[in-house]
Amino acid sequence: MKTIIIGGVAGGASAAARLRRLDETAEIIILERGEFISFANCGLPYFIGGEITDRNMLTLQTPSSFRARINIDVRVFSEAIKISPDTKTVTVKDLNKGKTYEESYDNIILSPGAEPFKPNISGIESANVFTLRNIPDTLKIKRYIETAEPRSAVVVGGGYIGVEMAENLAKAGLQVSIVELADHLIAPLDFDMAADVHRYIKAKGIRLYLNNGVKAIDGSKVILQNGEISADMVIMSVGVCPETSLAKDCGIVLNSRGSIIVDSRMRTNIPNIFAVGDAVEVKNYVTKSAAFIPLAGPANKQGRIAADNIAGFESEYKGTGGSAVLKLFDMTIATTGLNEKSAEAAGIDFNKIYTYSASHASYYPGGNMMSVKILWDRKTLKIIGAQIVGFDGVDKRMDVIASAIRFGAKVTDLAELELCYAPPYSSAKDPVNMAGFVAENIISGKVKQFFWHDVENLPRDGSVTLLDVRTSTERARGHIDGFMHIPLDSLRERINELPKDKPVYVHCHSGLRSYIACRILAGNGFDCYNLSGGWRLYESVMNERTVPEYICTECR
């Protein structure tokens, strides 16, 4: 049996290694048009920023190591230019020699990946404009920084790669700006969870131009829809497109986005041709609908599944949840499943909570707070998505929640999880448990909640009572107009100051003390609502809504 794998990196290389482990006698050929067959593409920004200093560390496997360890015929600088299903042959161009030849196959695995999207704007091909996809791109950027000595850079696009590039360019000594068409960075986050990210990244000296786009690049000028920025170099990071022209030309069915349509066994519509990785359409395992979610983890799993099926072992890919994590200087941002926008688009009637918990026991030094947001289906109570922004311990909490979603857990199940605890690592009530406790309180009716986006519409005409239960010191740092002040510890003594016939909307710093206040009030016959996420979340979001965008000096 002869299998040709077109493209390496995550999906293709994983498929090759898995297939060899399952079939020692199979003939396996990898065709890669570039120089590198298996490299750490997720690590590329960190080489530019100097976190990774040895470029050889980016190369996970070489043609010689593939041959020595797993007996794979790896052909770099070899581009597959045509697939002929009728004759079961692939036309290959040797890019070094400029010659073409035919290679027969029994099976093909397509792993072409996705390429950076380059918008049709003037100046996009300028020498100081770069994209980042592979090691040659990385070396080109690194060389430009070392030789041209740019002082400033603009990153166009505020997704994962764009934000990682912004951090690493800043670490390389450049003044960095991010231009993003949306109103917030990192699309899987909701705006309210991105607000903390915005505040942090600006504190690190990176300028944000949100709700803005690039119209043209003219030398050292980046001309925006609103204003312009001076920059010595530009990184385009506005998304990726599946690279599927080879598949389309041989009759493989694509969706409207250009992604290859495969079944759960990674088979295309043409017999004996499989496809994996960023080029394929996947199923979102929360909504069960088709999606484009280009991530390294799913690509590796898909390569393994394609190899299983070629080797005669039935194996299915059951969907992608979109679990992802991002390092931003010392901050960690993690997401899984759906955000509010995607949940609404899917027609899901959902509820949500915000919690603010310490990464480990408060009495043990070095702990940090993390913001947690969880969405669940009101009908089934199943968790449909989560977002966490914080520092230490964010990733492991998100991994727990992502696993819970995969196994169909209800949000109330989080309260019952028995998670590892010791003061340096967690609290006896882990942040994941805390989220479960809060959700259970909401679902069981022990407390009602309102949100930051409800505050401005609350009546200030005396028909409801608005109550701030923070300390006087906290209130002095800022408060919400119209909220009277009674510290929590004085509430029982002063409860007669509140009219019982009016609903009470309460807030504290994070939502915990106001929950306690609501239980006190409910026990005394009041109808009480708790501000989910508290003043901390409200202030963070309002600050981002009101602070003006950066305007370059030349534009003033």
Side-chain angles (χ1 to χ4, degrees):
M1 182 180 67
K2 180 177 180 181
T3 299
I4 296 178
I5 300 173
I6 300 175
V9 195
S14 293
R18 175 67 170 175
L19 188 56
R20 171 57 70 224
R21 291 193 294 269
L22 297 178
D23 187 347
E24 180 62 24
T25 65
E27 183 179 359
I28 306 170
I29 300 171
I30 298 180
L31 301 176
E32 172 57 53
R33 70 182 176 195
E35 178 182 358
F36 302 95
I37 186 63
S38 180
F39 59 90
N41 53 353
C42 295
L44 300 180
Y46 301 102
F47 179 71
I48 293 168
E51 194 79 17
I52 298 171
T53 56
D54 183 357
R55 59 168 283 185
N56 293 322
M57 296 299 294
L58 297 173
T59 307
L60 304 178
Q61 294 285 352
T62 65
S64 58
S65 67
F66 255 73
R67 170 66 77 178
R69 177 65 58 87
I70 51 179
N71 191 25
I72 303 291
D73 181 0
V74 177
R75 304 177 190 178
V76 295
F77 298 115
S78 297
E79 181 179 10
I81 59 175
K82 183 181 179 182
I83 298 172
S84 302
D86 293 340
T87 59
K88 297 188 77 171
T89 57
V90 177
T91 304
V92 184
K93 184 174 183 179
D94 185 325
L95 299 178
N96 284 327
K97 298 178 180 178
K99 296 181 180 179
T100 61
Y101 62 92
E102 303 291 320
E103 194 72 54
S104 63
Y105 69 85
D106 294 306
N107 295 285
I108 288 177
I109 300 176
L110 291 171
S111 179
E115 58 185 343
F117 175 71
K118 297 178 73 172
N120 183 23
I121 59 175
S122 173
I124 193 72
E125 301 297 336
S126 301
N128 66 333
V129 180
F130 305 88
T131 57
L132 180 64
R133 182 189 185 187
N134 50 36
I135 291 179
D137 292 342
T138 308
L139 299 179
K140 187 178 178 182
I141 295 170
K142 185 81 167 178
R143 193 178 306 115
Y144 185 84
I145 292 172
E146 293 171 347
T147 58
E149 298 182 346
R151 298 177 62 185
S152 60
V154 167
V155 177
V156 184
Y160 286 102
I161 299 299
V163 170
E164 287 174 346
M165 279 301 302
E167 174 195 350
N168 283 281
L169 289 169
K171 286 186 173 180
L174 283 74
Q175 172 61 59
V176 182
S177 301
I178 299 177
V179 178
E180 169 57 50
L181 197 58
D183 64 355
H184 68 280
L185 301 177
I186 311 169
L189 290 178
D190 290 313
F191 179 85
D192 46 27
M193 294 297 285
D196 280 353
V197 179
H198 295 172
R199 178 172 289 184
Y200 179 77
I201 197 171
K202 287 186 287 188
K204 291 294 184 179
I206 294 174
R207 298 180 172 185
L208 300 184
Y209 296 80
L210 304 174
N211 289 306
N212 216 334
V214 174
K215 293 171 60 177
I217 300 167
D218 183 8
S220 62
K221 286 186 179 180
V222 180
I223 302 167
L224 308 180
Q225 294 172 348
N226 179 23
E228 64 182 45
I229 315 171
S230 293
D232 299 321
M233 65 183 299
V234 178
I235 306 292
M236 300 300 302
S237 182
V238 293
V240 295
C241 301
E243 192 172 347
T244 52
S245 57
L246 180 68
K248 180 180 179 181
D249 290 345
C250 77
I252 291 174
V253 175
L254 312 180
N255 66 14
S256 59
R257 189 188 182 109
S259 298
I260 298 170
I261 296 176
V262 294
D263 65 11
S264 61
R265 297 183 182 181
M266 310 314 298
R267 299 177 296 194
T268 70
N269 61 299
I270 295 182
N272 304 106
I273 300 182
F274 298 73
V276 301
D278 294 353
V280 306
E281 174 187 278
V282 297
K283 180 177 70 175
N284 183 302
Y285 67 64
V286 176
T287 65
K288 310 304 180 186
S289 60
F292 177 64
I293 309 176
L295 293 169
N300 276 279
K301 295 177 182 67
Q302 292 161 12
R304 178 185 177 93
I305 287 167
D308 284 352
N309 285 290
I310 288 172
F313 296 90
E314 291 191 5
S315 184
E316 289 188 280
Y317 187 68
K318 297 179 181 178
T320 302
S323 300
V325 66
L326 168 68
K327 172 189 173 296
L328 175 59
F329 297 99
D330 294 323
M331 178 176 270
T332 302
I333 302 134
T335 63
T336 192
L338 308 181
N339 58 18
E340 289 197 45
K341 182 178 179 180
S342 55
E344 289 168 356
I348 298 174
D349 180 19
F350 65 91
N351 205 347
K352 61 185 177 182
I353 55 164
Y354 303 88
T355 60
Y356 195 53
S357 301
S359 57
H360 60 245
S362 58
Y363 57 82
Y364 188 90
N368 289 289
M369 302 300 287
M370 64 178 72
S371 298
V372 181
K373 179 177 184 177
I374 295 184
L375 282 63
W376 70 90
D377 187 316
R378 288 182 189 270
K379 296 177 182 177
T380 65
L381 303 186
K382 288 185 177 181
I383 310 165
I384 60 171
Q387 302 160 46
I388 307 179
V389 176
F391 296 89
D392 181 55
V394 167
D395 53 337
K396 69 177 182 179
R397 272 62 184 226
M398 186 56 77
D399 282 342
V400 169
I401 297 170
S403 299
I405 294 176
R406 173 66 76 165
F407 295 124
K410 296 179 180 180
V411 67
T412 48
D413 292 332
L414 299 181
E416 301 179 17
L417 293 178
E418 184 178 341
L419 303 174
C420 296
Y421 162 61
Y425 300 104
S426 183
S427 300
K429 296 177 181 178
D430 188 86
V432 174
N433 296 135
M434 288 299 294
F437 296 151
V438 173
E440 192 278 331
N441 285 337
I442 298 298
I443 292 165
S444 65
K446 294 182 180 69
V447 68
K448 293 182 280 190
Q449 61 181 348
F450 67 109
F451 301 104
W452 63 265
H453 46 78
D454 299 321
V455 171
E456 62 183 335
N457 295 322
L458 292 175
R460 266 71 171 180
D461 59 0
S463 59
V464 301
T465 300
L466 308 179
L467 178 62
D468 178 349
V469 296
R470 295 176 298 158
T471 65
S472 297
T473 301
E474 288 175 303
R475 184 174 171 83
R477 299 190 192 111
H479 64 277
I480 305 175
D481 290 341
F483 277 69
M484 67 181 294
H485 181 227
I486 301 178
L488 174 63
D489 292 343
S490 303
L491 182 58
R492 287 186 176 89
E493 291 73 24
R494 299 176 58 184
I495 200 166
N496 291 333
E497 297 177 25
L498 307 177
K500 276 192 174 181
D501 60 342
K502 297 177 182 179
V504 184
Y505 290 81
V506 188
H507 85 80
C508 67
H509 180 70
S510 67
L512 177 57
R513 282 172 292 165
S514 49
Y515 160 67
I516 296 170
C518 270
R519 293 306 302 156
I520 293 171
L521 291 167
N524 284 275
F526 288 83
D527 182 18
C528 189
Y529 295 79
N530 182 27
L531 177 59
S532 185
W535 158 263
R536 194 211 66 81
L537 177 65
Y538 173 83
E539 187 275 335
S540 179
V541 176
M542 291 301 108
N543 181 69
E544 280 305 302
R545 281 184 155 188
T546 57
V547 172
E549 297 177 26
Y550 281 100
I551 302 296
C552 64
T553 303
E554 295 87 340
C555 301
R556 290 176 179 168

